[in-house]
Amino acid sequence: MKLYFLFFLFPILLSAEYLSNKDCYECHKDIYNEYRSSYHAKNFFNDELHRKVANQVSTTKYECATCHMAAADNLEDLESGFSNPDTNNVTHTDGVSCFHCHSIAYVKESHVKNKIILAKTPAGYKPRLYASLENPEDSNKHNAGKSPIYEKYACSGCHSHKRNAQNVLIFQAMKKGQSSKECIECHMPKINGGVEDMNKRGRTHHHSHYFAGIHDEEFRKKGLDIKIDTEDKTLKIELTNKMAHPLIIQPARMKFIHVKVLRDGKVVWQNYTTDPMQDKQAVFVTEFSGKDGKLVNIPAFAYGILFENNIDAKETKILTYNNIDLQKGDTVEVELWLYLSKPSCSEVLDLEDKSITKPILMKKVTFVL
């Protein structure tokens, strides 16, 4: 009986045949085109910053595969070094693929990083893909189901947190138990159009799969409110993070505030002159330290935190500057700037795409006294 039971159970544990992104295109062209413009479509092969960071960590293992090549059919081999990223393997080149995200059955919270549990389908049967739709449509390629677990945990498998081998927290976007619904509401707003080309049930809207974020010029203006207040010789800049995650979440990034007072079109005061770090309260970044306590450029090698400044979700911080010669008619300018690759990271990566290494103006607010 035992042998018979094991023989019967084995095929049930096999994963269904992988459906590539192009397979999805056949019925979901609009959603596919949104996805192709998103950073979920980026991967080891077409994202230079990620690839060069990964190669700095290891040239023999691809330890980032868990999230950045999550659909890989040989994930454990990539992480352990038995295999390398392969441009001829569609489960590698699909990036954070449609099939992977819509196969998430559950996410197990863990100390180092959360673990994604994918749905299993008996061999020879169509896979079941999850979404948040009421009465989702099946197709000749897959079955479909609404799962409250999927909607709650879909993002937390990769976007929650990550600790390195030295137990240093190097990434934190979601708090323990935080629902993915908050991510979806902001980064996947409902837009016009059905979810499939035929639109058999006449749906009028779907969740955008463009995943608007830091790389979108208009979207990145929305996350931080900036208010300016003056009293006598004191200047106060109130910064309110409207997002459901900290202002800085990616360890390679840096944001900073440049404050200037202009009189007759000329700068008469500013919070720094050449280096934003001259005003550390206005620089939002995490700089890591190595075993010797000195700056380490790649977070995987960090043993601690050298400098950290951030604004938590929904938090307000006030930057205060005293003893400034403020006069009526002066203009106060406050600019929020972004480095997609902070200087301490860029100096060891030799990035060909110089736009990644140059500061980007995210938002500008002015106030006339």
Side-chain angles (χ1 to χ4, degrees), residues 40-86 91-96 113 162:
H40 273 188
K42 292 288 187 179
N43 57 58
F44 180 87
F45 307 106
N46 59 19
D47 185 348
E48 183 192 11
L49 177 58
H50 168 69
R51 181 175 65 257
K52 290 197 171 180
V53 170
N55 285 337
Q56 284 282 337
V57 174
S58 175
T59 56
T60 59
K61 297 187 289 185
Y62 183 38
E63 298 179 34
C64 311
T66 303
C67 290
H68 290 271
M69 202 172 279
D73 56 5
N74 58 343
L75 190 60
E76 292 183 3
D77 286 348
L78 290 168
E79 293 174 320
S80 60
F82 285 103
S83 296
N84 295 314
D86 181 4
T91 68
H92 292 192
T93 57
D94 265 356
V96 182
K113 61 184 177 184
K162 174 71 169 66

Side-chain angles (χ1 to χ4, degrees), residues 95-113:
V96 182
S97 77
C98 311
F99 184 80
H100 173 80
C101 283
H102 286 278
S103 296
I104 295 172
Y106 185 68
V107 175
K108 183 178 180 182
E109 291 185 339
S110 182
H111 177 68
V112 174
K113 61 184 177 184

